[in-house]
Amino acid sequence: MRANQVDMTVAFGLALAALCAQGMEKVIAQFEGDTYGEWTVGGTAFGAGPAKGTLPGQMQVSGFVGKGLVNSFAGGDRATGKLTSPPFTVDRNFITFLIGGGGWKEKTCMNLLVDGQVVRTAVGPNVVPGGSEALEPGSWDVSDLVGKKARIEIVDDATGGWGHINVDQIALCDAAPLPPKRDVTREITADKRWLLMPVKNGAKKSKVEVRTGADVLRFFDIELADAEPDWWAPLDLGAWRGKTLTLWVNRLAGDSKALENIRLSDENFPKEGLYREPLRPQLHFSPRRGWNNDPNGLVFFNGEYHLFFQHNPYGVNWGNMHWGHAVSKDLVHWQEVDEALYPDALGPMFSGSAVVDPANTSGFGKDGKPPLVMIYTAAGNPATQCLAYSLDGRIFTKYDGNPVVKNITGGNRDPKVIWHVPSRRWIMALYVGRGDKRHTVQLLASPNLREWAELSAVEGDRDGGHYLYECPDFFELPVAGTSEKRWVLSAANGQYAVGAFDGTAFKPEAERLRGHWGTAYYAAQTFSDLPDGRRVLIGWLQAPSPGMPFNQGMTLPQELGLVKTAEGIRLTHAPVKELEALRERTQKVGPADLTAGSANPLAGFEAELVELRLACDVLADVVVTAEVRGVPVRYDAAKQELTVAKHAVPWPVKDGKLGLIVYLDRTCVEVFSQDGLFYVPVAVLPEGAARGASLSVEKGTVLGMSGEAHALRSCWR
Ligand code: FRU
């Protein structure tokens, strides 16, 4: 079907079923193409074609169907314009549509024109600041116009607040659409462990509560599927076995089957196919279902590595922040277990850290068992810092004295706590987002994790920008090859400072250092309490898995170090040695001198998941490319530039020596180079069927190319 044109073929489309009460409908426009087709476009507000969702500077647009919609925010509220359909014959009793945006009569509206006259009009819901960019269903009874030729025009003639209009899914229908259902409830008996909720990615979000009597046990937003779901989101009912619970939903489409379709189950996830999905990262952790962002509470406790993470269990986009939880014996093979922290009256569970408290300073320990203590942000209004603890690493109890740090600034969040040996107390690095946008890391101290006093602040952006913004980490490391140590203060974008910490204040000797050269990395954190004293980091791998029931992932675990360079002391990243456990087959490379036309030293190597380790000498004008499954890693010596997939970064090699470690997974490539001084994580989807690899020289000569190519196995057993 040609989507943007007046299309008089009959559609039984699922999406439109939501708009039409019953029977057949005719699509007028769904706005899924790149252009408006035969519609006439005037002015600039509507752009060159349908928007793919939210436009820059706009609040999140939701409630449209498919990928595209009419969104006259192109050029912001100031822009104006008009979109007019080709003529069509009114041959049904109703015209249905989705509409959102400004609510200004005659200014931000959709009109039905017959003989050039406006015979019906509709506006969006918003005329005051705030409001919502969600599209809502609307309809016109056009039974008196049947047989007439008509056009639709979508008008943006407003330039102030809410000076735009959003429209999608215009259709002719036989019958009036059912009105949406509001405040709907269903009683269930929790006689099975899991409640499975049908999710349709991109559907309009509903608010859901699980209640007993007046108590709200769980609450969240979810894109409920009115009919066929994309996937099922499980909710753990284990704590309320046998009880009668009420499910409440704020709003559902008139003919939605979502509430009936919610079902009880003994299984949370399908056994078949889990971790074998086509875009499931195989070397990197990702959640079974839903969205992840930051790693949280990285800690070694009771013989296990714990990876908590910002998790939306009920959708593939950010929201409903929980602490998801996975455990590992080796940092490589992870087992996801039940959610650790749920949103509560103090707010959603934002990022934070975890420590083991061996001396039981917190008093949460019991019978000589030291507690695991999590320090997290409850991001309600106001946002505060709170504690939860566990004795077994599986059951988590929130401290009843929460919050332990009252609100300092509106944006304060992401506490990272360490035990400071010399002053024998806990130190917290806390991001405080000041109202004037100055990014600051506040240091606080506590004898017992419960009572905190402010120590000093590190100003992040005396000269503007995003330095020291969100998710601080703070730790001490030895400087390789010396007896010196330094403190490192880092933030979400990877930038860091190196300096000294006397137990009260951090004094940087170098600031705003670049922590990574990639695109797919954010909000990294290092582990607490590692028994071997290593400083191991995991970051949020910003690599999407489009179309999957999960989204994003975690970087490879990597060991940090400090080295002295000509420019000063710098951080290094090295993939942890435990990753060697994934090697399945190895092919030696070289040593070989390569020029244009040399035989491919990687000929015959085939793998889906790859680790490459290469070293060579590059002469002044060399251009050399390692390509794995269609993903190039290319070094241009004249330009001093490394390009990973399509991402180019400045890359001076030292003494003409190029060293590369490349890990390729299904959604990303991570490159480590120059003894770990350069780390480049990039999101990429390798060519599906490609399995080969090559090493080739375009220009100049590469001397002594040598190394190994490893075919890796999946970390999911
Ligand atoms: C960083 C961040 C944190 C916050 C969390 C919420 O990605 O914005 O500052 O705690 O995500 O999910």
Side-chain angles (χ1 to χ4, degrees):
M1 195 163 22
R2 289 172 308 160
N4 298 317
Q5 308 178 1
V6 173
D7 192 328
M8 288 300 147
T9 51
V10 173
F12 293 89
L14 251 186
L16 280 166
L19 294 182
C20 281
Q22 53 190 283
M24 299 182 296
E25 52 275 330
K26 271 183 178 173
V27 173
I28 295 177
Q30 292 184 307
F31 305 107
E32 289 301 292
D34 291 330
T35 69
Y36 288 114
E38 288 171 16
W39 288 58
T40 315
V41 191
T44 56
F46 292 94
K52 304 285 182 224
T54 308
L55 291 171
Q58 192 173 27
M59 286 193 289
Q60 195 181 352
V61 178
S62 62
F64 57 100
V65 174
K67 292 201 159 51
L69 77 157
V70 174
N71 179 347
S72 78
F73 198 73
D77 278 330
R78 288 176 60 94
T80 59
K82 190 193 275 189
L83 200 58
T84 311
S85 80
F88 60 92
T89 305
V90 178
D91 60 357
R92 309 280 159 118
N93 289 335
F94 290 87
I95 292 178
T96 61
F97 46 84
L98 298 169
I99 192 163
W104 308 109
K105 285 208 177 74
E106 294 170 20
K107 297 275 183 192
T108 56
C109 58
M110 179 166 81
N111 298 325
L112 182 68
L113 304 177
V114 173
D115 298 330
Q117 297 300 306
V118 176
V119 293
R120 298 288 185 280
T121 188
V123 293
N126 301 289
V127 288
V128 291
S132 159
E133 286 279 14
L135 279 68
E136 293 280 351
S139 66
W140 294 317
D141 182 341
V142 289
S143 47
D144 59 322
L145 301 172
V146 168
K148 301 250 190 230
K149 275 248 179 287
R151 286 176 192 263
I152 281 172
E153 64 176 18
I154 305 174
V155 178
D156 178 351
D157 194 18
T159 54
W162 283 110
H164 66 277
I165 177 94
N166 302 334
V167 173
D168 199 13
Q169 301 298 104
I170 309 172
L172 285 153
C173 288
D174 282 335
L178 293 174
K181 301 182 263 193
R182 304 203 184 261
D183 275 323
V184 280
T185 56
R186 181 182 151 194
E187 301 253 291
I188 53 158
T189 304
D191 51 12
K192 295 193 173 154
R193 168 89 188 262
W194 303 96
L195 190 68
L196 300 184
M197 298 172 293
V199 179
K200 184 90 192 158
N201 296 333
K204 190 178 165 64
K205 277 187 190 148
S206 300
K207 293 200 175 304
V208 175
E209 291 181 2
V210 180
R211 303 171 174 169
T212 60
D215 292 342
V216 176
L217 308 171
R218 296 281 181 254
F219 58 92
F220 47 90
D221 297 336
I222 183 168
E223 294 164 346
L224 283 174
D226 294 325
E228 264 316 288
D230 290 331
W231 54 282
W232 296 87
L235 176 84
D236 193 347
L237 298 180
W240 308 291
R241 269 284 158 113
K243 293 230 167 82
T244 301
L245 304 174
T246 304
L247 300 179
W248 169 87
V249 184
N250 70 329
R251 181 200 162 283
L252 285 172
D255 60 349
S256 176
K257 299 276 178 291
L259 200 54
E260 294 95 294
N261 288 347
I262 289 176
R263 61 171 207 263
L264 291 142
S265 169
D266 293 321
E267 299 288 340
N268 47 356
F269 297 105
K271 288 226 165 63
E272 271 307 283
L274 189 65
Y275 294 119
R276 300 281 172 251
E277 302 92 343
L279 292 183
R280 168 74 69 183
Q282 299 291 305
L283 310 175
H284 297 82
F285 174 80
S286 59
R288 291 170 294 195
R289 291 289 181 263
W291 157 276
N292 81 265
N293 51 293
D294 317 350
N296 295 148
L298 300 182
V299 66
F300 186 81
F301 177 64
N302 285 354
E304 289 176 321
Y305 298 92
H306 291 263
L307 162 61
F308 301 94
F309 54 94
Q310 288 289 283
H311 191 204
N312 181 359
Y314 314 122
V316 293
N317 292 308
W318 187 91
N320 299 313
M321 282 296 129
H322 290 52
W323 275 32
H325 186 199
V327 294
S328 172
K329 291 275 183 208
D330 62 2
L331 287 167
V332 176
H333 301 89
W334 292 97
Q335 186 198 354
E336 191 176 339
V337 292
D338 300 336
E339 290 313 304
L341 299 178
Y342 288 85
D344 61 29
L346 295 181
M349 303 287 103
F350 273 23
S351 286
S353 51
V355 291
V356 185
D357 178 15
N360 197 22
T361 62
S362 62
F364 296 135
K366 222 176 145 188
D367 307 327
K369 282 195 205 145
L372 168 67
V373 183
M374 302 134 110
I375 310 94
Y376 62 90
T377 299
N381 194 5
T384 55
Q385 317 314 319
C386 296
L387 301 182
Y389 58 92
S390 176
L391 297 174
D392 64 355
R394 290 297 185 278
I395 299 170
F396 302 92
T397 308
K398 285 177 180 158
Y399 172 42
D400 55 16
N402 280 339
V404 293
V405 182
K406 292 213 185 81
N407 182 264
I408 300 175
T409 61
N412 61 181
R413 59 182 179 273
D414 310 335
K416 177 72 163 110
V417 172
I418 50 163
W419 175 251
H420 187 242
V421 178
S423 62
R424 301 193 47 74
R425 56 185 182 171
W426 303 99
I427 301 290
M428 177 192 293
L430 181 69
Y431 168 68
V432 291
R434 310 242 174 229
D436 56 6
K437 288 243 162 62
R438 269 163 46 233
H439 301 310
T440 301
V441 173
Q442 178 68 50
L443 298 178
L444 300 95
S446 169
N448 55 12
L449 295 165
R450 300 182 189 215
E451 292 145 315
W452 290 91
E454 291 184 22
L455 285 180
S456 61
V458 191
E459 291 247 341
D461 57 353
R462 286 185 290 269
D463 51 351
H466 258 5
Y467 180 54
L468 292 188
Y469 176 57
E470 308 184 310
C471 303
D473 201 350
F474 191 45
F475 49 85
E476 194 182 26
L477 273 179
V479 182
T482 74
S483 55
E484 296 172 43
K485 288 181 166 187
R486 289 292 188 284
W487 282 81
V488 174
L489 177 64
S490 66
N493 66 1
Q495 285 187 341
Y496 65 100
V498 174
F501 178 56
D502 61 5
T504 305
F506 172 71
K507 288 210 178 48
E509 65 187 53
E511 287 187 278
R512 250 180 205 282
L513 303 172
R514 188 163 170 180
H516 75 99
W517 273 256
T519 56
Y521 174 91
Y522 201 69
Q525 177 178 120
T526 60
F527 276 87
S528 189
D529 297 277
L530 291 194
D532 55 11
R534 282 185 300 174
R535 195 41 68 183
V536 172
L537 163 148
I538 290 179
W540 165 21
L541 180 72
Q542 295 180 314
S545 292
M548 298 287 114
F550 53 88
N551 193 9
Q552 311 292 309
M554 294 297 164
T555 66
L556 293 177
Q558 39 205 278
E559 185 177 351
L560 297 183
L562 284 178
V563 291
K564 275 206 166 134
T565 72
E567 288 78 41
I569 295 174
R570 296 291 181 270
L571 267 180
T572 58
H573 296 242
V576 296
K577 61 180 182 324
E578 285 90 334
L579 289 162
E580 291 172 12
L582 296 177
R583 291 178 186 167
E584 195 167 50
R585 272 177 288 116
T586 299
Q587 180 168 320
K588 285 254 173 275
V589 179
D593 298 343
L594 302 178
T595 54
S598 295
N600 171 18
L602 285 171
F605 178 78
E606 292 214 335
E608 187 202 5
L609 310 166
V610 181
E611 174 192 348
L612 267 187
R613 288 184 181 249
L614 299 171
C616 62
D617 290 323
V618 288
L619 301 183
D621 59 343
V622 158
V623 180
V624 55
T625 302
E627 185 173 296
V628 199
R629 299 190 56 210
V631 177
V633 179
R634 181 172 184 270
Y635 186 68
D636 185 325
K639 284 197 197 156
Q640 303 221 339
E641 185 179 84
L642 187 85
T643 307
V644 177
K646 294 194 175 110
H647 178 67
V649 284
W651 203 272
V653 296
K654 217 173 67 194
D655 308 328
K657 297 213 176 299
L658 178 66
L660 280 182
I661 302 174
V662 180
Y663 279 87
L664 182 80
D665 199 346
R666 289 185 185 169
T667 64
C668 73
V669 59
E670 277 174 281
V671 176
F672 302 83
S673 180
Q674 311 306 72
D675 300 322
L677 282 167
F678 288 97
Y679 167 52
V680 200
V682 174
V684 65
L685 300 175
E687 287 169 17
R691 290 291 178 273
S694 65
L695 270 177
S696 60
V697 169
E698 259 166 67
K699 238 175 112 183
T701 305
V702 158
L703 296 177
M705 172 67 84
S706 67
E708 292 171 344
H710 303 279
L712 304 182
R713 58 176 79 87
S714 167
C715 68
W716 305 113
R717 298 193 229 250

